[in-house]
Amino acid sequence: MPARTQELPIRADNSSAAASPIAGTSKCLPSHMPGETFWQTSRHHLHDHRSSEELPSHSDIVIIGAGYAGVATAYHLVKDHPSLNKSITILEARGACSGATGRNGGHARPDFYGHIPTYMDRAGAEAGAEIAEFEIRNLRALKKTIEQEKIDCDFTLTRSIDVWCNADSASKAKAVYDRMTAEGLEYMEDVAFYTGNEVEGICGVKDAKACASFTAGTMWPYKFIMRLVELIVDAGVNLHTHTPATSVSPDGEGGFIIDTPRGKMHANKVVYANNAYVSGILPQYKKNIVPCKGICCRITVPEGVTAPLLNNSYINRTEDNVLSYLIPRADGSIIVGGAAAIFKKHEDQWYDNVDDSVLIDSAKDYYNNYMQRTYRGWENTAAKIDQIWTGVMGYSYDSNPHIGAVPGEKDQYILAGFNGHGMPVIWLSAKELAQMIVNDIPFEKTTMPRLFQTSQFRIDRALNGKPEDGDILGSGKFAATKP
């Protein structure tokens, strides 16, 4: 199915995004014509917002990127620090929440079985457990904020089910479960693991050999972020969409000059929250955070057909170990994506690629009849893809985000490189980063997992290593080194 395109958004000054001659011309800037996604079918009135006709000449804090990371950082700056008497400006290359956050699967799912054992092997059980526990707290904090701010974003707290249809993989997953349980980790008390003949009946996935369940969340990510945008704009944060930051340079007096196609502005502090595109301004992160495309779609049943009820979110692994993530929606539709094993060998279609206007060709048909071939009870529903899209994520060399003060650079901060796993970590990370910015405290004084800290060691390891030795394309041969 070909990617759908949309007309260029119209700005407040009645010009289109095409008016920026820089947008879409660099691998480190997003395409100016992203493919259509279900989440943004109805555009928010602040999607293309500019707080003023002219770019401000100065702002105390400039945040680059109006996705989850940038908006969450601004929210915590103004909400958690009400006495902060500083001007804040967000610069966004396209519309607000038009990048990975507005194109993902809506899954706020802590990581129990993915990389946690790897992190334990690399840095010890305590360091690995820090990440899992942080992500659990992140989910609870999200729920609390959504309730307190009365954000209408279809948030649900549910059980997420990990499913293995390959017998060997199921056995390895059970060994991981046993290992994690033996570690005495408190968060494992929320996990239930199943094997045997009844697994398929428990999870509803055909030919399932094992499954595990634990608490997770689902939401409409675009609605969540855009409500936060409303709140921060009302609080006085300046938002300038279709204004890509193309360079940041010192002014010689302790501040910074930020170049954009609309002119220059001055800042005292800069936050890089542009995820996959961060190396366009911070070249030292070129091999540390690489833009990688993923695929996601919405599946519906024909009018008059009642979709079988699914109450859980899923991570499904087929017999040939193709992984998909899935969330059900109250309207009966399904959001599903992943399939990286299908397109991984076609590197030109996804690796170091920022063109989210076209689909990943080798995987664009994978989700045809997905529900019928995967779930019991869906065989005769005629479920089919309603919309399909791509998104550009920032994948890090070692699978951990880069957060904190940019090494060797005063008053510059980074919050990027989420490996397609930003929903479970960004909210509290942004809260902690805001404390670093306001109170000038080091990373070690925050509650963030130690492996999230950006460092010169991590930067150099990626710059000096081969791509296939990292986690993105290879198996992470640096496992024996310190983080």
Side-chain angles (χ1 to χ4, degrees):
M1 180 180 294
R4 302 177 182 180
T5 58
Q6 59 195 27
E7 292 185 356
L8 293 175
I10 302 300
R11 301 172 175 168
D13 60 0
N14 292 322
S15 63
S16 72
S20 169
I22 297 177
T25 62
S26 166
K27 273 196 170 185
C28 293
L29 284 173
S31 166
H32 70 270
M33 283 191 66
E36 185 176 283
T37 165
F38 164 71
W39 303 122
Q40 297 175 34
T41 301
S42 178
R43 287 288 184 86
H44 190 276
H45 69 276
L46 293 179
H47 184 88
D48 301 309
H49 181 73
R50 286 180 177 172
S51 297
S52 58
E53 184 174 346
E54 300 294 330
L55 195 65
S57 61
H58 170 82
S59 190
D60 294 307
I61 302 170
V62 169
I63 299 170
I64 300 173
Y68 193 174
V71 171
T73 300
Y75 174 91
H76 288 299
L77 284 171
V78 298
K79 289 288 184 175
D80 299 348
H81 306 276
S83 61
L84 179 67
N85 186 25
K86 303 287 185 182
S87 57
I88 302 169
T89 297
I90 301 179
L91 302 178
E92 168 57 46
R94 300 194 301 203
C97 197
S98 62
T101 309
R103 314 182 69 78
N104 67 26
H107 211 179
R109 179 183 186 274
D111 179 12
F112 284 25
Y113 284 95
H115 279 83
I116 300 301
T118 300
Y119 299 147
M120 289 182 171
D121 291 339
R122 291 177 182 174
E126 185 177 340
E130 282 177 358
I131 296 176
E133 292 164 0
F134 183 79
E135 293 185 10
I136 292 168
R137 295 199 304 273
N138 189 88
L139 177 60
R140 294 169 180 166
L142 272 177
K143 178 178 181 292
K144 183 177 181 180
T145 298
I146 289 168
E147 292 173 347
Q148 289 180 338
E149 299 287 11
K150 297 180 172 56
I151 301 176
D152 179 12
C153 62
D154 296 353
F155 179 81
T156 63
L157 200 62
T158 185
R159 298 293 286 182
S160 187
I161 301 185
D162 260 308
V163 181
W164 293 267
C165 294
N166 177 284
D168 183 55
S169 296
S171 296
K172 291 178 180 177
K174 180 59 165 60
V176 170
Y177 170 78
D178 291 341
R179 172 190 172 185
M180 304 289 272
T181 303
E183 292 281 359
L185 303 172
E186 184 178 348
Y187 76 80
M188 289 298 293
E189 295 177 5
D190 186 49
V191 183
F193 199 99
Y194 305 93
T195 59
N197 297 330
E198 296 183 351
V199 171
E200 187 175 317
I202 292 170
C203 66
V205 175
K206 298 176 183 179
D207 300 321
K209 302 298 189 297
C211 69
S213 74
F214 50 88
T215 304
T218 67
M219 69 168 71
W220 190 310
Y222 181 73
K223 286 186 176 180
F224 171 64
I225 298 302
M226 294 312 296
R227 176 54 183 155
L228 295 179
V229 170
E230 287 183 16
L231 294 171
I232 63 176
V233 168
D234 287 346
V237 172
N238 292 294
L239 171 63
H240 284 266
T241 64
H242 304 288
T243 309
T246 55
S247 70
V248 176
S249 56
D251 66 356
E253 300 179 359
F256 305 95
I257 301 297
I258 302 171
D259 282 289
T260 83
R262 297 174 58 212
K264 302 176 186 290
M265 69 175 299
H266 182 268
N268 294 333
K269 295 186 178 185
V270 181
V271 180
Y272 301 92
N274 49 340
N275 200 21
Y277 310 97
V278 70
S279 67
I281 308 177
L282 295 176
Q284 61 266 49
Y285 285 93
K286 181 173 178 56
K287 292 186 179 181
N288 282 268
I289 301 175
V290 180
C292 298
K293 287 173 62 173
I295 196 165
C296 192
C297 67
R298 179 179 185 245
I299 294 175
T300 60
V301 299
E303 187 176 351
V305 175
T306 300
L309 178 64
L310 286 181
N311 289 324
N312 307 295
S313 70
Y314 287 84
I315 294 290
N316 292 328
R317 300 167 183 83
T318 63
E319 202 280 332
D320 53 353
N321 286 316
V322 178
L323 184 150
S324 296
Y325 54 84
L326 179 150
I327 70 167
R329 290 187 34 77
D331 62 5
S333 67
I334 301 295
I335 304 294
V336 61
I342 300 296
F343 61 78
K344 185 173 183 178
K345 64 181 179 181
H346 304 281
E347 290 181 21
D348 61 311
Q349 298 179 18
W350 65 277
Y351 182 79
D352 202 13
N353 186 325
V354 299
D355 189 359
D356 55 9
S357 68
V358 297
L359 296 178
I360 300 173
D361 188 67
S362 55
K364 67 183 189 320
D365 298 322
Y366 179 77
Y367 289 107
N368 290 337
N369 299 313
Y370 180 79
M371 298 305 293
Q372 291 93 320
R373 69 177 188 265
T374 305
Y375 285 88
R376 287 168 43 167
W378 282 78
E379 294 84 355
N380 300 314
T381 60
K384 64 178 182 179
I385 295 173
D386 174 65
Q387 287 178 286
I388 185 167
W389 59 90
T390 58
V392 180
M393 300 163 283
Y395 273 78
S396 70
Y397 187 78
D398 59 11
S399 291
N400 287 309
H402 282 265
I403 306 175
V406 176
E409 304 292 343
K410 181 176 173 54
D411 293 329
Q412 296 187 68
Y413 303 86
I414 186 171
L415 180 60
F418 301 108
N419 305 282
H421 194 64
M423 295 292 285
V425 303
I426 290 176
W427 187 248
L428 287 185
S429 296
K431 183 181 181 71
E432 294 299 303
L433 186 68
Q435 287 202 63
M436 293 182 65
I437 296 168
V438 174
N439 299 319
D440 196 28
I441 62 173
F443 183 97
E444 291 80 4
K445 296 293 184 180
T446 73
T447 64
M448 284 185 282
R450 70 192 74 173
L451 296 180
F452 286 8
Q453 183 178 12
T454 191
S455 68
Q456 194 62 49
F457 176 85
R458 292 179 64 195
I459 290 173
D460 291 342
R461 182 172 58 191
L463 290 175
N464 297 327
K466 299 177 181 178
E468 60 269 24
D469 289 342
D471 284 344
I472 308 172
L473 293 175
S475 56
K477 293 181 181 178
F478 53 82
T481 64
K482 294 181 179 180

